[in-house]
Short mmCIF file of all heavy atoms in Angstrom, two decimals:
data_model
loop_
_atom_site.label_atom_id
_atom_site.label_comp_id
_atom_site.label_asym_id
_atom_site.label_seq_id
_atom_site.Cartn_x
_atom_site.Cartn_y
_atom_site.Cartn_z
N PHE A 53 35.86 4.31 -38.47
CA PHE A 53 35.73 2.88 -38.36
C PHE A 53 35.07 2.57 -37.06
O PHE A 53 35.38 3.25 -36.05
CB PHE A 53 37.09 2.19 -38.41
CG PHE A 53 37.84 2.46 -39.67
CD1 PHE A 53 38.78 3.53 -39.74
CD2 PHE A 53 37.66 1.69 -40.78
CE1 PHE A 53 39.46 3.80 -40.93
CE2 PHE A 53 38.35 1.90 -41.96
CZ PHE A 53 39.23 3.00 -42.05
N ASP A 54 34.20 1.53 -37.02
CA ASP A 54 33.46 1.20 -35.80
C ASP A 54 34.15 0.12 -35.01
O ASP A 54 33.65 -0.31 -33.98
CB ASP A 54 32.00 0.84 -36.12
CG ASP A 54 31.85 -0.39 -37.02
OD1 ASP A 54 32.84 -1.00 -37.41
OD2 ASP A 54 30.71 -0.74 -37.27
N SER A 55 35.30 -0.36 -35.50
CA SER A 55 36.05 -1.43 -34.80
C SER A 55 37.52 -1.43 -35.19
O SER A 55 37.86 -0.89 -36.30
CB SER A 55 35.46 -2.80 -35.03
OG SER A 55 35.78 -3.21 -36.35
N ALA A 56 38.34 -1.93 -34.33
CA ALA A 56 39.79 -2.01 -34.61
C ALA A 56 40.01 -2.93 -35.83
O ALA A 56 40.86 -2.65 -36.70
CB ALA A 56 40.50 -2.59 -33.42
N GLN A 57 39.22 -4.00 -35.95
CA GLN A 57 39.40 -4.93 -37.07
C GLN A 57 39.06 -4.29 -38.37
O GLN A 57 39.76 -4.50 -39.38
CB GLN A 57 38.56 -6.20 -36.86
CG GLN A 57 38.85 -7.28 -37.89
CD GLN A 57 40.33 -7.70 -37.86
OE1 GLN A 57 40.84 -8.02 -36.82
NE2 GLN A 57 40.96 -7.59 -39.05
N ARG A 58 38.00 -3.51 -38.43
CA ARG A 58 37.62 -2.79 -39.66
C ARG A 58 38.72 -1.84 -40.10
O ARG A 58 39.04 -1.69 -41.23
CB ARG A 58 36.27 -2.09 -39.51
CG ARG A 58 35.14 -3.06 -39.49
CD ARG A 58 33.95 -2.59 -40.27
NE ARG A 58 32.98 -3.65 -40.46
CZ ARG A 58 31.86 -3.75 -39.76
NH1 ARG A 58 31.58 -2.89 -38.82
NH2 ARG A 58 31.04 -4.77 -40.03
N PHE A 59 39.37 -1.17 -39.12
CA PHE A 59 40.46 -0.30 -39.39
C PHE A 59 41.58 -1.12 -39.96
O PHE A 59 42.18 -0.70 -41.02
CB PHE A 59 40.89 0.44 -38.14
CG PHE A 59 42.26 1.19 -38.32
CD1 PHE A 59 42.33 2.32 -39.09
CD2 PHE A 59 43.43 0.62 -37.86
CE1 PHE A 59 43.53 2.95 -39.31
CE2 PHE A 59 44.63 1.26 -38.09
CZ PHE A 59 44.70 2.41 -38.80
N LEU A 60 41.94 -2.23 -39.32
CA LEU A 60 43.05 -3.11 -39.81
C LEU A 60 42.80 -3.60 -41.23
O LEU A 60 43.71 -3.69 -42.04
CB LEU A 60 43.30 -4.23 -38.87
CG LEU A 60 44.07 -3.91 -37.60
CD1 LEU A 60 44.11 -5.15 -36.68
CD2 LEU A 60 45.45 -3.43 -37.87
N ASP A 61 41.55 -3.96 -41.50
CA ASP A 61 41.17 -4.44 -42.83
C ASP A 61 41.46 -3.40 -43.93
O ASP A 61 41.83 -3.77 -45.02
CB ASP A 61 39.72 -4.89 -42.90
CG ASP A 61 39.44 -6.09 -42.06
OD1 ASP A 61 40.37 -6.84 -41.71
OD2 ASP A 61 38.22 -6.37 -41.70
N ALA A 62 41.34 -2.07 -43.59
CA ALA A 62 41.50 -1.04 -44.58
C ALA A 62 42.92 -0.38 -44.46
O ALA A 62 43.25 0.41 -45.33
CB ALA A 62 40.47 -0.01 -44.36
N PHE A 63 43.65 -0.73 -43.45
CA PHE A 63 44.94 0.01 -43.13
C PHE A 63 45.98 -0.17 -44.19
O PHE A 63 46.30 -1.24 -44.66
CB PHE A 63 45.48 -0.51 -41.75
CG PHE A 63 46.72 0.18 -41.41
CD1 PHE A 63 46.79 1.57 -41.16
CD2 PHE A 63 47.94 -0.55 -41.19
CE1 PHE A 63 47.98 2.18 -40.83
CE2 PHE A 63 49.11 0.07 -40.84
CZ PHE A 63 49.13 1.45 -40.64
N ASP A 64 46.52 1.00 -44.64
CA ASP A 64 47.64 1.07 -45.50
C ASP A 64 48.80 1.78 -44.81
O ASP A 64 48.67 2.96 -44.59
CB ASP A 64 47.16 1.84 -46.82
CG ASP A 64 48.39 2.08 -47.79
OD1 ASP A 64 49.48 1.58 -47.54
OD2 ASP A 64 48.16 2.77 -48.75
N LEU A 85 45.17 -2.87 -30.35
CA LEU A 85 45.43 -2.43 -31.69
C LEU A 85 46.78 -1.71 -31.74
O LEU A 85 47.56 -1.96 -32.68
CB LEU A 85 44.31 -1.51 -32.20
CG LEU A 85 44.57 -0.87 -33.56
CD1 LEU A 85 44.76 -1.96 -34.62
CD2 LEU A 85 43.36 0.01 -33.94
N HIS A 88 49.42 -4.35 -31.75
CA HIS A 88 49.43 -5.02 -33.10
C HIS A 88 50.10 -4.15 -34.13
O HIS A 88 50.96 -4.64 -34.91
CB HIS A 88 47.97 -5.41 -33.49
CG HIS A 88 47.97 -6.08 -34.85
ND1 HIS A 88 48.37 -7.39 -35.04
CD2 HIS A 88 47.65 -5.59 -36.10
CE1 HIS A 88 48.22 -7.67 -36.31
NE2 HIS A 88 47.83 -6.64 -36.96
N LEU A 89 49.82 -2.90 -34.14
CA LEU A 89 50.46 -2.03 -35.10
C LEU A 89 51.96 -1.94 -34.90
O LEU A 89 52.75 -1.95 -35.92
CB LEU A 89 49.86 -0.63 -35.08
CG LEU A 89 48.38 -0.49 -35.59
CD1 LEU A 89 47.75 0.82 -35.23
CD2 LEU A 89 48.36 -0.76 -37.06
#
Side-chain angles (χ1 to χ4, degrees):
F53 300 91
D54 63 1
S55 72
Q57 188 58 55
R58 288 222 169 101
F59 168 76
L60 284 173
D61 292 344
F63 180 61
D64 174 5
L85 176 57
H88 179 75
L89 290 169

